[in-house]
Amino acid sequence: MRVIKQKGWARPSFAWVSALFVAALICVPVTAFAGELSVYRLYNKWSGEHLYTTNLDEYRHLPTIGWRGEGEAWVSPTDGDPVYRLYNPYSGDHHYTKDLSEYERLQDLGWRGEGPIFCSLKDGGAPVYRLFNPWLTCGTHLFSTSRGEYDSLGIIGWQQEGAAFFAIRAGSGEGAIPETDPSPAGPNPGSGGSASPGTGPGEVDPNTYIVYVTAHGKRYHRQSCPATSGKRTRSMTLADAVSKGYAPCKDCKPPSM
């Protein structure tokens, strides 16, 4: 029987398809199959806030401007229920929730949604407890896998809100980084969010103090300035902002040089 050669594309052979599939598996980054992601915890003793991040660059940078890196808090899965992060531009606070309705409701109240930051196991795992302090304006929520920390804070007045999400396991605490400036003159150097208005140039280091600018604005602001609410901002040091010609905001009154 004579085989008539077809015009156009020939049907790919099974061996060719198999080779492509194997090549695709080899080219996929290993992290896609790792299934685990470390969540690191930092603490700002001037604002009282705990920050949680999976970004190692962010974790290593913040201690250079006064935060204390507390190491690996827990290990989250790379797949599961998304946990969202929000930012309050008025208080400088962050919040974390896997409740989509809570995430959307807080945005309606002025919080900025920052999208999913890590995941929660759908079934079982190590509980990550959530606590709320009604007397604080920043650092109002704390998340911890430690039942001892959860119980001890409950005794001194924190409201215990149960398990917020579930991790693969509690963190090892490895990677702790001390703050680089343990004795600052201002109450919150580096964050640009809580120092008292009118802070002078002698009270902060302009090479480490962080301020915020908008895409088309001509002034630099504290992190919590109402003038930047709902706007995309970019952070830079006070020294950089002044060198680029930005002037201090008249509303939030950040430090000047």
Side-chain angles (χ1 to χ4, degrees):
M1 180 177 68
R2 191 171 63 129
V3 177
I4 300 175
K5 185 180 293 186
Q6 296 179 348
K7 295 183 180 180
W9 292 99
R11 177 176 295 178
S13 67
F14 175 80
W16 184 76
V17 172
S18 299
L20 277 181
F21 178 74
V22 172
L25 288 179
I26 294 174
C27 293
V28 173
V30 175
T31 53
F33 296 93
E36 298 184 356
L37 189 63
S38 293
V39 178
Y40 297 94
R41 187 168 103 168
L42 301 109
Y43 176 62
N44 186 324
K45 66 182 180 183
W46 300 286
S47 68
E49 181 187 11
H50 283 87
L51 183 73
Y52 304 84
T53 182
T54 60
N55 186 324
L56 268 178
D57 290 336
E58 182 177 38
Y59 178 69
R60 291 167 177 164
H61 169 68
L62 288 176
T64 69
I65 57 174
W67 290 72
R68 183 175 73 238
E70 296 185 332
E72 184 185 68
W74 64 81
V75 178
S76 79
T78 55
D79 189 30
D81 294 326
V83 176
Y84 303 94
R85 188 166 92 171
L86 299 109
Y87 169 67
N88 188 325
Y90 303 102
S91 66
D93 203 7
H94 286 85
H95 184 53
Y96 308 79
T97 181
K98 71 172 186 177
D99 185 338
L100 186 58
S101 62
E102 181 182 36
Y103 181 66
E104 294 173 344
R105 184 173 68 254
L106 288 176
Q107 289 181 82
D108 291 339
L109 296 175
W111 290 69
R112 296 178 188 170
E114 296 183 341
I117 186 172
F118 48 80
C119 291
S120 168
L121 287 174
K122 292 180 178 294
D123 298 303
V128 180
Y129 300 105
R130 175 169 131 174
L131 298 114
F132 173 66
N133 190 324
W135 296 284
L136 298 178
T137 56
C138 188
T140 54
H141 282 89
L142 178 70
F143 298 85
S144 176
T145 57
S146 170
R147 182 72 197 198
E149 183 175 38
Y150 182 70
D151 289 339
S152 61
L153 290 176
I155 292 172
I156 63 174
W158 288 70
Q159 295 177 7
Q160 296 173 306
E161 298 185 337
F165 26 86
F166 293 88
I168 294 175
R169 62 180 177 275
S172 64
E174 293 182 0
I177 306 172
E179 65 267 24
T180 57
D181 182 12
S183 302
N188 192 18
S191 76
S194 299
S196 53
T199 304
E203 298 180 21
V204 298
D205 182 350
N207 294 309
T208 60
Y209 189 91
I210 302 299
V211 296
Y212 297 81
V213 300
T214 58
H216 305 292
K218 297 181 179 180
R219 298 184 181 276
Y220 62 85
H221 310 263
R222 297 179 187 274
Q223 188 183 58
S224 57
C225 181
T228 63
S229 176
K231 299 178 182 178
R232 185 180 296 274
T233 59
R234 179 165 58 96
S235 63
M236 63 180 67
T237 65
L238 172 60
D240 285 341
V242 173
S243 69
K244 295 178 185 297
Y246 290 99
C249 173
K250 294 181 180 178
D251 296 325
C252 65
K253 298 180 173 63
S256 59
M257 292 177 61

